[in-house]
Amino acid sequence: MERVCFLLQVKPERLEEYQARHAAVWPEMLDALTASGYRNYSLFLRPDGLLVGYLECDDFASIEAAMQATDVNARWQAEMAEFMTLPEGARPDTGLLRLDEVFHLA
């Protein structure tokens, strides 16, 4: 099993709407995440917009590829991009900063 933690930055002026969108994630997006192999997926948001994501999967490269192949992911990422501070041309799912795991208490 692979544990993945990543960072993104939500624009501070868009925090409330970002949270509202995630309170009502499209059912087809939830289905795509599950079908792609996302498990135990959580997002945590700091008041200044720092977003920390955590998920578990068998192979992160495989789940990324599976999600890239879905239409719903392309539509979701296009909508979420307006909430994020991202490098030019990046989408939230390609502009994330993955963190290295340095400790895990099993």
Side-chain angles (χ1 to χ4, degrees):
M1 178 187 64
E2 199 172 342
R3 289 182 298 276
V4 178
C5 186
F6 62 86
L7 300 177
L8 284 164
Q9 182 65 46
V10 178
K11 295 174 183 172
E13 67 275 12
R14 303 296 303 271
L15 292 175
E16 286 184 32
E17 188 178 358
Y18 182 83
Q19 290 174 303
R21 295 279 185 102
H22 281 81
V25 175
W26 308 331
E28 63 184 314
M29 183 61 173
L30 297 173
D31 291 344
L33 289 165
T34 300
S36 296
Y38 281 70
R39 294 188 307 272
N40 201 22
Y41 184 28
S42 299
L43 296 173
F44 302 88
L45 186 59
R46 202 166 68 177
D48 66 356
L50 179 67
L51 182 74
V52 178
Y54 174 83
L55 64 105
E56 296 170 351
C57 61
D58 292 326
D59 177 44
F60 189 59
S62 294
I63 69 168
E64 283 185 305
M67 286 302 290
Q68 294 296 324
T70 67
D71 175 65
V72 68
N73 185 60
R75 289 184 287 118
W76 181 264
Q77 298 306 325
E79 288 201 15
M80 292 301 107
E82 69 187 53
F83 294 95
M84 303 291 181
T85 302
L86 296 165
E88 185 67 33
R91 300 182 336 187
D93 62 341
T94 63
L96 57 86
L97 172 63
R98 186 170 173 183
L99 302 178
D100 293 329
E101 183 176 1
V102 296
F103 176 77
H104 174 74
L105 176 64

